Amino acid sequence: IVTQHTAVNGISHRGRVLTLDSMNPNVKRVEYAVRGPIVQRAVQIEKELKEGVKKPFTEVIKANIGDAHAMGQKPITFFRQVLALCSYPALLEDSKFPEDAKKRAQRILEACGGHSIGAYSTSQGIECIRQDVARYIEKRDGGIPSNPDNIYLSTGASDAIVTILKLLVCGEGRDRTGVMISIPQYPLYSAALADLGAVQINYYLDEDNCWSLNITELRRALNAAREHCNPRVLCIINPGNPTGQVQSRQCIEDVIRFAKEEHLFLMADEVYQDNVYAEGCQFHSFKKVLFEMGPEYSNTVEMASFHSTSKCYMGECGFRGGYMEVINLDPEVKAQLIKLVSVRLCPPVPGQALLDLVVNPPQPDEPSYATFMKERTAVLSTLAEKARLTEQIFNTVPGITCNPVQGAMYTFPGITLPQKAIDKAKELGLVPDMFYCMRLLEEDGICLVPGSGFGQREGTYHFRMTILPPTDKLKVVLQKIREFHLRFTQEFS
Amino acid sequence: IVTQHTAVNGISHRGRVLTLDSMNPNVKRVEYAVRGPIVQRAVQIEKELKEGVKKPFTEVIKANIGDAHAMGQKPITFFRQVLALCSYPALLEDSKFPEDAKKRAQRILEACGGHSIGAYSTSQGIECIRQDVARYIEKRDGGIPSNPDNIYLSTGASDAIVTILKLLVCGEGRDRTGVMISIPQYPLYSAALADLGAVQINYYLDEDNCWSLNITELRRALNAAREHCNPRVLCIINPGNPTGQVQSRQCIEDVIRFAKEEHLFLMADEVYQDNVYAEGCQFHSFKKVLFEMGPEYSNTVEMASFHSTSKCYMGECGFRGGYMEVINLDPEVKAQLIKLVSVRLCPPVPGQALLDLVVNPPQPDEPSYATFMKERTAVLSTLAEKARLTEQIFNTVPGITCNPVQGAMYTFPGITLPQKAIDKAKELGLVPDMFYCMRLLEEDGICLVPGSGFGQREGTYHFRMTILPPTDKLKVVLQKIREFHLRFTQEFS
């Protein structure tokens, strides 16, 4: 039926089985700006630099992705000691390793099949690690109970987010599941929704109020969506990616009330829970607020919360560790969830081991505690300093407006682009902020992600930049962007 | 539209957002026997034993999954030394580590962002590791070129298999993509097809001829399927899972010719390529045979081949390492594939590092070579011995018929079940071989997977057993199954 015949040199040829025309159309609709065309060009420029091509700069600074180690952040010593011990248990005899690291490694190995991290774990994740996660959540939430049976370890947070969305998306036409996501959003969400063929429902964060979430806007978006799909899910990212916003307790309560009233499944992406810098800001977990609102809420609102080893103070992205906690999930659906994750066998065990250390770090009476706290504090206080620096410097630039970086690892400043630049971009077939970011990359070797990759109100332009480069380098980056912006504005005025 | 109201105690309650009735129906159709109900029961029994419940046995032997380390196989020393060095680079100063391990670790770290395996890699996988994979393939295939751009590292082989299927599946009704899979099959395939809503096309392997693949049967299955779907993909597992069959070169040539004639995309699951035991049997890669058939084939047939760090002599399942090589993939589709894998950021970097060691092990002039070869040879020769033992002992049991275990890690013997047992199973609402395996588990603590989980000809019954338990334990297992089978047959005669 779909076999294609083309005539080349008079001979009839069949085309390929798999072409752009004959592939899964949902995959075609997927977009992922954080590793999109601008990053591919950045990699190309790096190669050109290596080959000796002359550029106005000597290195590409990739501020496009929250990849702390790539930006020079050092791993937490204790975590890596334990991982080395788990990888090569002969080191357990080595007197150079502290006793607490050995104890931790032994405990993890005992929970592994054949005492090896090379064995598959159960698909939900190693039981004693899920217990540790539950205890961590209980401590974080002031004693509100957490059940290890509700914890699912995952391959980074992305894996768990996609898995829950997969369970939720169904129906056809007007019955198709709609999923509410913030604009700007982290493009994993839009990508997963395109892949699953779900309906994306945009609610806009309030840029004029530090990117805060507004219930009136949530309701507007929901009502509009009810005309053409079946909204069932509300996704929240707190602290915000790409906005850096930290939600108030009141806002979270309002969101939970809204979810209950409107019969929505809540997905709380809380991977930046330890990344809060601004004074007066504090991380409140959705779980804690939910339970403090009383049984009317805590017994009914369905929720999944996501966490990861990739962010916070450890930044261990490469290990792909993470977990989710599900609340009020239907027991029959839980069985389906376990079945679904079984197909991929298990999350990477080294990532599970790392997660165990994150949720169960050295304690005050243990030999590694002092070093651990020193390393952790250094990372977090440097991040806080860089968050302030970023806001300050950007706000000195005419045409750049930067909200406070209250948390997470990013800033998402608004940029004013001259009409001539917008026209020029259109001429080149580029969205205006892509044109802007591409020019910055070519001229200064700085790789940002255009705001259009995250979504923004029509007619506004932004970029996302991580605050991860080392402080000295970050200052240079900010200064270069400042100069570029002035130059760019002048050129197109 | 789908909001459900139920009246409890006279009060109107809304049901949950996510229930068995309102969830993704494709997920409901997913089945994965290798970790299905029998394994859940096995885990339960283990807990009961721990709690002191008396059983006719003292431990559960899990012969349900190809998990070598869980069965006591030791990791390859060199691999784990390098992984420890990569995890905790301070060990590079330690004189106890051999120089070749250090060199290897340094090379991997230099290829990582910030020289840390905690950084994200590119989504396709670290470039120098993809180069090493390409060289490995070239060596394996007698010099046929392999391009690192065609290599995609993955989270185990399962990840890559699902990714390629996702690209391929599209269309509605009679145009829906059909995917040919062997029966018996590895249930990842049926599970992924259910999840994607693809049409599963069964072709039966020939049990009477060592589970060989027969082109007449392929053609029968294809023609029948063309009545109701659009067959576009042919999946092959060689060496076979669960059959243990190793395909002849002739057979592979025939399959390739068939794929070309019938315009099918070939998926070659070759994760057991180093697990070949039977005399006269040899692993032939689909890629090599394809290229030896000349440009008419090697320039046109589209193919993906999959490999993993989980099997062979290393059995490192927990690291979730793997790769695929794509051949003749449309360049536009390749761009889509890169975009798709970008959404999940990258495969676990420790798994990538491990894969690098598998494709680039110690060389004869390096200090770790002798130990490496000793360890590798010991594992493979023990597996060969266990393969022979399994076939021999099973074939002494009246009512069990076992083909030679030519390769892979499994046996899939046919079992004759008395009619009364079949009737009893039906009475209990179980498929007959599930009833058989459940009884074996309850009576002897041996966990196998019923043949129905892999598919089998109607009216025939089988189980899959791994040959991985240590030789002494395997002998006990085989003896116990023998006794159980006789007892079971007698009970229901």
Side-chain angles (χ1 to χ4, degrees), chain A residues 156-166 186 188-189 192 235 267 269 271 306 324:
Chain A
S158 306
D159 171 39
I161 290 169
V162 172
T163 299
I164 284 291
L165 284 172
K166 182 179 278 181
Y186 174 56
L188 166 69
Y189 291 91
C235 299
M267 290 176 60
D269 180 340
V271 301
F306 307 91
M324 69 173 160

Side-chain angles (χ1 to χ4, degrees), chain A residues 251-473:
Chain A
C251 173
I252 293 170
E253 216 180 293
D254 293 345
V255 168
I256 291 171
R257 199 167 291 121
F258 178 81
K260 181 172 167 64
E261 278 168 19
E262 302 295 348
H263 206 234
L264 298 170
F265 190 105
L266 258 177
M267 290 176 60
D269 180 340
E270 299 179 316
V271 301
Y272 297 99
Q273 55 190 262
D274 287 336
N275 296 102
V276 176
Y277 318 116
E279 257 184 68
C281 283
Q282 199 189 329
F283 172 72
H284 303 276
S285 80
F286 267 77
K287 163 105 180 276
K288 180 163 192 261
V289 177
L290 177 71
F291 276 72
E292 287 171 353
M293 287 169 76
E296 189 193 343
Y297 291 89
S298 65
N299 289 341
T300 60
V301 175
E302 295 154 77
M303 198 184 93
S305 159
F306 307 91
H307 198 14
S308 158
T309 59
S310 303
K311 311 298 168 186
C312 299
Y313 60 90
M314 54 283 180
E316 294 276 14
C317 313
F319 280 83
R320 315 306 297 120
Y323 77 79
M324 69 173 160
E325 183 184 26
V326 296
I327 316 283
N328 291 321
L329 196 66
D330 185 313
E332 288 181 316
V333 174
K334 255 192 216 181
Q336 294 287 325
L337 173 56
I338 289 175
K339 182 188 73 177
L340 184 61
V341 296
S342 297
V343 178
R344 297 293 188 95
L345 298 163
C346 70
V349 177
Q352 295 187 43
L354 177 64
L355 178 67
D356 191 51
L357 306 170
V358 169
V359 297
N360 184 21
Q363 297 304 304
D365 58 345
E366 292 183 315
S368 300
Y369 182 74
T371 305
F372 168 75
M373 283 308 285
K374 209 180 98 193
E375 291 175 347
R376 182 185 193 277
T377 309
V379 172
L380 289 176
S381 61
T382 307
L383 280 171
E385 189 197 336
K386 292 193 278 195
R388 276 191 304 274
L389 202 65
T390 302
E391 181 200 351
Q392 266 170 26
I393 296 186
F394 273 150
N395 281 326
T396 66
V397 188
I400 297 187
T401 326
C402 182
N403 271 317
V405 184
Q406 298 174 331
M409 297 177 165
Y410 316 99
T411 176
F412 196 70
I415 46 176
T416 308
L417 299 184
Q419 189 57 44
K420 279 187 194 162
I422 297 170
D423 296 342
K424 178 72 183 173
K426 278 184 189 149
E427 206 184 300
L428 296 167
L430 292 172
V431 290
D433 50 13
M434 175 64 92
F435 174 58
Y436 178 94
C437 289
M438 274 290 185
R439 284 283 297 263
L440 175 66
L441 175 64
E442 298 289 347
E443 292 177 20
D444 289 299
I446 296 167
C447 182
L448 307 177
V449 191
S452 44
F454 304 88
Q456 53 200 353
R457 282 201 184 271
E458 178 124 16
T460 69
Y461 303 106
H462 303 78
F463 56 76
R464 185 184 84 163
M465 186 187 89
T466 74
I467 59 166
L468 293 174
T471 311
D472 286 350
K473 200 176 268 186

Side-chain angles (χ1 to χ4, degrees), chain A residues 38-71:
Chain A
I38 195 153
V39 184
Q40 284 163 30
R41 178 66 191 135
V43 172
Q44 218 171 5
I45 292 177
E46 276 182 328
K47 275 195 184 171
E48 291 171 17
L49 282 172
K50 258 191 201 163
E51 290 159 2
V53 179
K54 281 268 170 285
K55 302 266 178 193
F57 47 87
T58 53
E59 64 162 338
V60 176
I61 298 171
K62 287 194 203 146
N64 59 295
I65 189 167
D67 190 355
H69 291 199
M71 285 288 111

